[in-house]
Amino acid sequence: INFTEDRAVLHTALRASKDKIGTVFVDDEDAIKEVHEVLDQIKQFTEAFRSGHITGYTGKRMRNIVSVGIGGSYLGPEFLHEVLKTEEEGISSSLGYSLRFLANVDPVDVERTCADLDPEETLIIIVSKTFTTAETMLNARTMRQWLWDFMGDDIDVVKKHVVACSSVSATANVEAFGIDTEKYFFRFWDWVGGRYSVCGAAGAVPISLLYGFDLFEKFLEGARSMDEHFINAPMRQNIPILMGLLGVWNSSFMGYNSRALIPYAQALLRLPAHIQQLDMESNGKRISRHGIEIDYPVGEVDFGEPGTNSQHSFFQLIHQGQTIPVDFLGFVQSQHDILIDGEKLSSHDELMSNFFAQPDALANGKTADEVRAEGCAEELILHKVFDGNRPSSSLLFPQLSAYVTGQILALYEHRTAVQGFIWDLNSFDQWGVELGKKLAIDVKDHLTKARYDPKQQPVDIPDAPATSRILNYYVNNGREATENGTGVSVNPLTSVTRKTHREHFPPPIHDLGGNVGKLS
């Protein structure tokens, strides 16, 4: 299916059941058998970690997990983490542990991630298919230095505190980094793209370390149930196909070039960001499967925010500005409902009242006669008219659990694929990200030369005079700039040696009893 890279597309194999072993082969290898070998390895490792059998370099029990990755190696696992942190089973199983994600190469992200962590109690997960992703590997080297600064420049520090999720083809790179490839290397495959990888090691390792493998397995079961629905349900009852058809209709026929995802569940606050990458990196293409430039609209601009926050942010435009199709996600039961004294309805009922009202407002609008009948001043009537006829879809689920989250993930993965198939493009490559990465490497070469040039010659990038000017300003002002008169260089060439958590405050003592701990 991924014809530009000559690769199979099998993210569904990541959640296939064991009874499917022997049914899917890639290059004569049993794909589902390999998947379950890795899942069994992850289960064994994460249970040993959570039971205290795996300890750090100094013998301390590890309680902090930092997952280093970017794009699909980060957005999918983070969205799942945000759901499970308020899910009933997730709350009890994660007691005494913490999980953070380090994605941005901005050094401030490192500072924010490590600020109050004790390195002796921290496990680092590096997620990179090739183990060469520039941002991820710089952050990985930074975290390795952070560990060494506290515990000494010993390769055993890395072997005890760093694990890798990467492709089998990157084994040499993983080993060169100092990671124990026998015990702490969890593989995935070229037939899974990053944005489709949350069901694989990229999601399984950090989520199972924090919440336990059993809860992650329920997430896989939910995704599997949607896979089976997609395969078996008739087209008229097939939810991913119907949503894909509506997406193509709204984009290519109606000309609506944006789409909003509004989950009425705060725990899904990171779902829109994940779906944004899933859709826009998959279907933001210009060439068809036959090598012909596409001359019809494809690929929406996806964005979103939880309701009701979104209503007080960008719904003005959705109701009275451009027409933007909306997906509303709601839940019959809240993860945690509240009914305070004196209130007739719970907080969840208040939330869901908005879930039911917004689609009607978009569809039916409000006429000038209706506004006038309310006694509105004539000069304000047009300002208060809603033209209606704005499309939306509503999906109502029982309750946001690990299982339902798996269903939601697979639903949107399949919708993306359906639209790509209809548009006759490749939803599984991402050549559009390559040019910017190549130019960034070129700029790094210019920056390195400028930083170490004793003559301080100006940077001159051919055919890029504007970039040359702004880059020269950056270099020249970075040499001598001070921050708030402190004399600290804004842009120094230094190693990472700040012993952050000790400079702030000692980390609190935690009871690592898990679901039998003091907070249960």
Side-chain angles (χ1 to χ4, degrees), residues 83-101:
V83 171
L84 298 182
K85 72 196 301 186
T86 47
E87 198 260 1
E88 184 177 4
E89 187 176 340
I91 291 172
S92 61
S93 63
S94 62
L95 283 174
Y97 302 95
S98 72
L99 171 62
R100 300 181 186 183
F101 293 90

Side-chain angles (χ1 to χ4, degrees), residues 110-290:
V110 176
E111 173 66 16
R112 290 161 65 97
T113 300
C114 300
D116 57 348
L117 298 183
D118 184 346
E120 296 177 42
E121 299 178 348
T122 302
L123 181 75
I124 312 297
I125 308 164
I126 304 171
V127 187
S128 173
K129 180 184 285 189
T130 62
F131 232 65
T132 59
T133 307
E135 300 94 333
T136 297
M137 295 316 299
L138 177 55
N139 279 338
R141 292 189 296 272
T142 302
M143 295 306 295
R144 182 175 62 182
Q145 184 66 51
W146 180 69
L147 295 171
W148 280 342
D149 285 344
F150 283 88
M151 292 177 279
D153 191 357
D154 186 341
I155 195 62
D156 283 342
V157 171
V158 180
K159 291 186 181 297
K160 286 278 192 176
H161 287 264
V162 185
V163 306
C165 301
S166 190
S167 172
V168 177
S169 59
T171 302
N173 292 338
V174 174
E175 192 168 13
F177 192 86
I179 294 170
D180 184 344
T181 54
E182 292 294 320
K183 297 179 181 177
Y184 291 173
F185 177 34
F186 307 96
R187 68 187 188 277
F188 48 87
W189 303 269
D190 289 341
W191 34 263
V192 179
R195 57 191 177 275
Y196 296 93
S197 66
V198 63
C199 291
V205 175
I207 297 301
S208 299
L209 283 168
L210 182 65
Y211 297 106
F213 185 82
D214 290 347
L215 193 56
F216 182 77
E217 201 164 35
K218 292 178 182 178
F219 166 72
L220 296 182
E221 290 169 0
R224 185 188 312 145
S225 76
M226 186 58 68
D227 294 342
E228 292 168 355
H229 168 81
F230 182 47
I231 293 169
N232 298 316
M235 284 197 178
R236 288 181 180 272
Q237 286 83 47
N238 195 300
I239 302 172
I241 290 178
L242 292 174
M243 290 179 67
L245 289 168
L246 287 169
V248 170
W249 174 256
N250 285 328
S251 176
S252 297
F253 291 85
M254 299 303 295
Y256 305 144
N257 61 8
S258 298
R259 177 170 55 190
L261 174 58
I262 312 297
Y264 277 74
Q266 186 62 25
L268 285 173
L269 76 164
R270 295 298 288 162
L271 175 64
H274 176 58
I275 301 307
Q276 183 180 66
Q277 188 209 4
L278 174 67
D279 268 343
M280 295 176 69
E281 194 168 71
S282 294
N283 291 336
K285 307 296 169 58
R286 57 182 292 272
I287 301 296
S288 77
R289 183 165 57 92
H290 301 287

Side-chain angles (χ1 to χ4, degrees), residues 321-334:
Q322 299 177 35
T323 298
I324 298 176
V326 181
D327 283 353
F328 294 102
L329 273 61
F331 300 87
V332 175
Q333 292 183 311
S334 172

Side-chain angles (χ1 to χ4, degrees), residues 183-482:
K183 297 179 181 177
Y184 291 173
F185 177 34
F186 307 96
R187 68 187 188 277
F188 48 87
W189 303 269
D190 289 341
W191 34 263
V192 179
R195 57 191 177 275
Y196 296 93
S197 66
V198 63
C199 291
V205 175
I207 297 301
S208 299
L209 283 168
L210 182 65
Y211 297 106
F213 185 82
D214 290 347
L215 193 56
F216 182 77
E217 201 164 35
K218 292 178 182 178
F219 166 72
L220 296 182
E221 290 169 0
R224 185 188 312 145
S225 76
M226 186 58 68
D227 294 342
E228 292 168 355
H229 168 81
F230 182 47
I231 293 169
N232 298 316
M235 284 197 178
R236 288 181 180 272
Q237 286 83 47
N238 195 300
I239 302 172
I241 290 178
L242 292 174
M243 290 179 67
L245 289 168
L246 287 169
V248 170
W249 174 256
N250 285 328
S251 176
S252 297
F253 291 85
M254 299 303 295
Y256 305 144
N257 61 8
S258 298
R259 177 170 55 190
L261 174 58
I262 312 297
Y264 277 74
Q266 186 62 25
L268 285 173
L269 76 164
R270 295 298 288 162
L271 175 64
H274 176 58
I275 301 307
Q276 183 180 66
Q277 188 209 4
L278 174 67
D279 268 343
M280 295 176 69
E281 194 168 71
S282 294
N283 291 336
K285 307 296 169 58
R286 57 182 292 272
I287 301 296
S288 77
R289 183 165 57 92
H290 301 287
I292 301 170
E293 188 166 355
I294 297 171
D295 60 357
Y296 44 89
V298 301
E300 305 90 339
V301 175
D302 285 277
F303 68 100
E305 186 76 15
T308 58
N309 294 358
S310 52
Q311 295 171 205
H312 296 268
S313 175
F314 49 78
F315 267 47
Q316 167 62 43
L317 185 146
I318 285 179
H319 281 290
Q320 290 187 314
Q322 299 177 35
T323 298
I324 298 176
V326 181
D327 283 353
F328 294 102
L329 273 61
F331 300 87
V332 175
Q333 292 183 311
S334 172
Q335 287 183 330
H336 301 277
D337 205 356
I338 300 171
L339 178 60
I340 63 173
D341 292 343
E343 296 290 337
K344 293 182 178 180
L345 292 176
S346 71
S347 296
H348 186 65
D349 284 340
E350 180 79 22
L351 174 75
M352 291 301 291
S353 296
N354 289 272
F355 168 83
F356 294 113
Q358 290 296 327
D360 284 345
L362 290 169
N364 300 324
K366 193 172 186 178
T367 66
D369 289 340
E370 289 173 322
V371 177
R372 190 175 289 110
E374 295 176 346
C376 179
E378 196 66 28
E379 65 271 17
L380 293 179
I381 287 176
L382 290 180
H383 293 278
K384 297 188 176 185
V385 167
F386 296 74
D387 55 9
N389 196 30
R390 293 168 181 253
S392 68
S393 301
S394 296
L395 291 152
L396 185 61
F397 298 88
Q399 188 180 37
L400 186 58
S401 61
Y403 184 90
V404 168
T405 304
Q407 290 183 310
I408 293 170
L409 172 82
L411 168 61
Y412 279 94
E413 287 180 346
H414 295 320
R415 182 191 71 172
T416 296
V418 167
Q419 292 188 220
F421 293 150
I422 295 172
W423 281 327
D424 203 30
L425 50 79
N426 186 356
S427 298
F428 306 101
D429 62 8
Q430 55 280 330
W431 298 108
V433 305
E434 297 300 324
L435 178 59
K437 291 197 292 187
K438 168 61 172 64
L439 293 180
I441 293 172
D442 295 343
V443 171
K444 282 167 60 178
D445 292 340
H446 287 291
L447 262 177
T448 302
K449 182 179 178 181
R451 291 289 187 209
Y452 292 96
D453 182 6
K455 297 181 180 180
Q456 298 186 5
Q457 295 290 327
V459 174
D460 182 15
I461 303 176
D463 301 320
T467 303
S468 297
R469 285 197 300 274
I470 196 169
L471 185 56
N472 278 305
Y473 180 90
Y474 172 78
V475 170
N476 293 334
N477 285 274
R479 287 191 179 107
E480 302 297 334
T482 59

Side-chain angles (χ1 to χ4, degrees), residues 31-86:
I32 297 175
K33 180 183 177 183
E34 290 196 15
V35 165
H36 280 279
E37 288 174 355
V38 173
L39 288 175
D40 289 344
Q41 179 196 9
I42 291 170
K43 181 179 182 179
Q44 182 179 7
F45 168 73
T46 54
E47 288 179 351
F49 175 91
R50 290 171 56 81
S51 67
H53 286 99
I54 293 176
T55 58
Y57 178 76
T58 61
K60 284 189 176 182
R61 185 170 179 173
M62 290 183 282
R63 64 182 181 85
N64 309 311
I65 305 136
V66 176
S67 183
V68 182
I70 199 167
S73 301
Y74 147 66
L75 290 168
E78 186 191 43
F79 121 75
L80 177 56
H81 166 53
E82 289 294 338
V83 171
L84 298 182
K85 72 196 301 186
T86 47

